[in-house]
Amino acid sequence: MAKKDQTTDAAKEKDREKWMARFQVRLAMQPGVDRTVVLQAVKEVTTHCAETGEHPRSAFGDPDAYAVQVAARLVPSDQAERAGRRNAVVDALDSVRNAAGKIAGL
């Protein structure tokens, strides 16, 4: 294999890895998504790309947008709603705690 081909292959592999990493992180951030959902989605993407030879970006598009689509497909809406409400409560409590810490530091 020529050196240029090896460089191109390495660049494609690195780009694929970056796409997968971003997809996994964005998917994990979606309400109601747990480890099982992430593993299932990664398996689906990996299997598809292995069978077709496609790059994940060509097959699935933007990793952020695809993460939202996958979460909507794999996480029951009531579970996502509960997780979203729980996240909102945690965020509110963190804000109060941070504000209280700033006041105490005056």
Side-chain angles (χ1 to χ4, degrees):
M1 184 182 293
K3 184 169 178 92
K4 186 175 182 178
D5 290 340
Q6 289 175 341
T7 303
T8 303
D9 289 344
K12 286 179 184 177
E13 180 61 21
K14 183 170 181 144
D15 188 49
R16 187 194 68 75
E17 289 173 2
K18 285 173 63 175
W19 189 97
M20 289 296 292
R22 183 166 182 107
F23 169 65
Q24 290 176 55
V25 168
R26 295 299 185 185
L27 181 58
M29 293 171 60
Q30 299 302 308
V33 170
D34 59 14
R35 184 175 188 270
T36 304
V37 170
V38 173
L39 291 175
Q40 179 181 349
V42 167
K43 182 178 179 182
E44 288 174 1
V45 170
T46 303
T47 300
H48 175 84
C49 292
E51 290 174 352
T52 64
E54 284 183 280
H55 185 284
R57 185 174 308 283
S58 300
F60 303 104
D62 178 67
D64 297 346
Y66 190 61
V68 171
Q69 292 173 10
V70 168
R73 180 172 51 89
L74 296 179
V75 177
S77 59
D78 61 328
Q79 181 179 335
E81 272 184 45
R82 281 192 307 273
R85 285 193 302 267
R86 185 173 45 249
N87 290 346
V89 169
V90 170
D91 289 346
L93 290 173
D94 282 345
S95 293
V96 170
R97 184 178 46 87
N98 289 337
K102 287 178 184 177
I103 292 170
L106 290 177

